[in-house]
Amino acid sequence: PTTTVPTKIRLNQLGFLPAAQKIAVVPGVAATSFSIVDASNTEVLSGSLSAAATWEPALESVKIADFSSLTKTGNYKIRVTGVDDQAAFAISETAYGPVNAAALKAFYFNRASLALVAANAGQYARAAGHADNIVKIHASAASTARPEGTIISAPKGWYDAGDYNKYIVNSGITTYTLLAAFENFPDYFKTQNLNIPESGNSVPDILNETLWNIEWMLAMQDPNDGGVYHKLTSKGFSGFVMPDQDTSERFVVQKTTAATLDFAATMAAASRVYANYESQHPGLSAKMLTAAKNAYAWAKANPAIYYSQPSDIQTGGYGDENVKDEFAWGAAELYIATKDDSYYTALNPASLDANIPSWGSVQSLGWISLAHNLDKLTAAADKTLIKSKLDALAATLVSKKQNSAFSVSLEKGDFFWGSNSGAMNQAMILLEAYQLDKTKHQYLEAAQSLFDYVLGRNPTDYSFVTGYGNKSPMHIHHRPSAADGIEAPVPGFLAGGATLDGTYDCGASTYPSPLIAKSYVDNECSYSSNEIAINWNAPLVYVSAGLQVLTAK
Ligand code: 9MR
């Protein structure tokens, strides 16, 4: 393929907060300036375009229009001579509140074991699915105390994604990310009402929602030894039916080191967050901490038990044979929770860099918690080192953004399965580093650029969040959205996004382009680019709240 000049102006379809960086990517035409007009077509700003440059992931020649200096709320359009498209956008004080609430409510819509009633779910009301009170111990998980076929009960939790299974590895990072969002922006979340069944119970709704999954996770620990089952699953993926129509047998499969450590870290973090809600949930925080310690001890005694898919199970793997990062995250969280220096020593901080979090690479979740709880650490902690890890990673993202024709830190290698979640996890790191040093506005701006990318400033023209933006996915790979008979998909879900990791799912010719950043299709068959997943929505929750809160007036 050769470099092309697009025809559309791309920008964040949800608009901007008044004080935000505001950038549009415009076609690389001859014009050297742009203008912004208000709702009555009066020009309110004109500015210079950057020189044309090519963005390699899409081989597109584009220019940048930066109108950050426009700070008055209102509705506007961008005009560029030689471009027919006139992109509309709004500047608003509450630009990201609605998408943040929807991204959180999406977790409620994916709850297992609960009937969604119209008062909470509106037109998406549905019967309960997967009670998960009769779950069999699979042969791979059999022990003396719990032989194969033993029945356990592990209800609640969120469906992982478009499928109806529940996976501990992915639940760990997801649950933690929501807790981190709350820890970073507590005042914002304390006033939010999601209209979920628990709303109004004097616990913030983000914590009400997260507890639905934590209660399931707690039931995934074998009380006899502290080990944690890797997943609760049917043998295969169900058809595209509503949750209550999938009545296949459910199993818990193999205890693994990675799942047990992710569980330990998540429970230790949860114990500190829910400690502030002891009167509403007596004993919960202590129960979480005990569960965390028992899990960590199991992992130390079983340090290399990797997930190996049994021959009769076909659902998601989440296999990971490098658990150094899981050990580090578990140690970091248990250190913060217990103040026991031996966990800090086990973390071995000098040997551990920060990287972009993902389900299989979780060490930076430990850095995030350490950075956030600096004031509460013992003398053993090297606070300068902790801050420098996130700062160094944020700085590399800023330099990628500065070298990018799209003014975004995404490069070809970032378009793996779930690329939009990679973008949101990069933005989360940037917002963490920004909070450690608020003179570094470039971190906030680089996070804004990644958020813009996901909400429309990208070569597909889609805002990737269902129901948000003027062009958003209609055919996500999500069983309830496909089977509910309602045209619009369940709102608030982040589609996986462009990738070449699996174009065989709909057939390569269904995809609009072999260029990686354009390889996205809004078809139900595209589980590689158009599925949704809890670990993709969680950093969207973090970042949308963070930008709403941190973009100073
Ligand atoms: O998000 C996962 C991605 O990183 C992997 O490349 C992919 C293939 O193993 O699996 C993704 O996770 C899926 C999981 O296995 C099952 N539920 C749906 C998840 C999202 O596609």
Side-chain angles (χ1 to χ4, degrees), residues 472-485:
S472 62
M474 290 297 288
H475 309 288
I476 49 174
H477 183 92
H478 178 237
R479 281 163 177 73
S481 293
D484 62 9

Side-chain angles (χ1 to χ4, degrees), residues 380-535:
D382 183 341
K383 297 181 182 178
T384 308
L385 177 90
I386 291 168
K387 288 202 241 181
S388 73
K389 295 285 180 177
L390 290 169
D391 187 76
L393 181 55
T396 65
L397 295 172
V398 167
S399 67
K400 287 181 185 182
K401 178 201 179 211
Q402 284 165 346
N403 293 325
S404 159
F406 258 62
S407 191
V408 71
S409 55
L410 298 169
E411 297 175 336
K412 272 184 177 173
D414 294 316
F415 290 88
F416 43 79
W417 186 315
S419 57
N420 286 334
S421 77
M424 289 298 86
N425 277 304
Q426 288 192 12
M428 179 169 78
I429 292 289
L430 285 156
L431 293 179
E432 284 289 331
Y434 175 64
Q435 290 179 92
L436 292 172
D437 182 352
K438 287 196 180 164
T439 68
K440 295 190 169 165
H441 290 285
Q442 64 272 30
Y443 293 175
L444 185 64
E445 290 165 5
Q448 177 74 45
S449 273
L450 288 155
F451 190 63
D452 292 352
Y453 168 88
V454 159
L455 273 308
R457 201 221 300 164
N458 67 64
T460 73
D461 302 326
Y462 278 92
S463 157
F464 286 112
V465 181
T466 55
Y468 287 80
N470 50 45
K471 183 182 176 192
S472 62
M474 290 297 288
H475 309 288
I476 49 174
H477 183 92
H478 178 237
R479 281 163 177 73
S481 293
D484 62 9
I486 300 167
E487 192 186 352
V490 178
F493 277 116
L494 177 64
T499 186
L500 289 173
D501 278 3
T503 46
Y504 49 80
D505 50 17
C506 297
S509 63
T510 308
Y511 285 79
S513 167
L515 293 164
I516 198 159
K518 291 181 164 184
S519 188
Y520 165 78
V521 69
D522 181 21
N523 283 4
E524 210 171 277
C525 51
S526 182
Y527 49 80
S528 64
S529 80
N530 208 31
E531 191 165 354
I532 58 86
I534 56 172
N535 64 314

Side-chain angles (χ1 to χ4, degrees), residues 160-163 167 237 316-318 359 417 501 527 531-533 535-536:
D160 183 56
D163 63 310
Y167 307 82
F237 289 117
Y318 290 117
W359 63 260
W417 186 315
D501 278 3
Y527 49 80
E531 191 165 354
I532 58 86
N535 64 314
W536 305 344

Side-chain angles (χ1 to χ4, degrees), residues 2 9 38 58 60 91 94 102 115 121 134 177 199 211 217 279 283 292 309 350 399 413 427 475 494 530 540:
T2 50
I9 295 172
D38 66 11
E60 283 186 342
I91 297 179
T94 55
I134 302 174
T177 301
S199 293
L211 190 55
M217 289 180 78
S279 60
Q309 183 96 300
S399 67
H475 309 288
L494 177 64
N530 208 31
L540 173 66

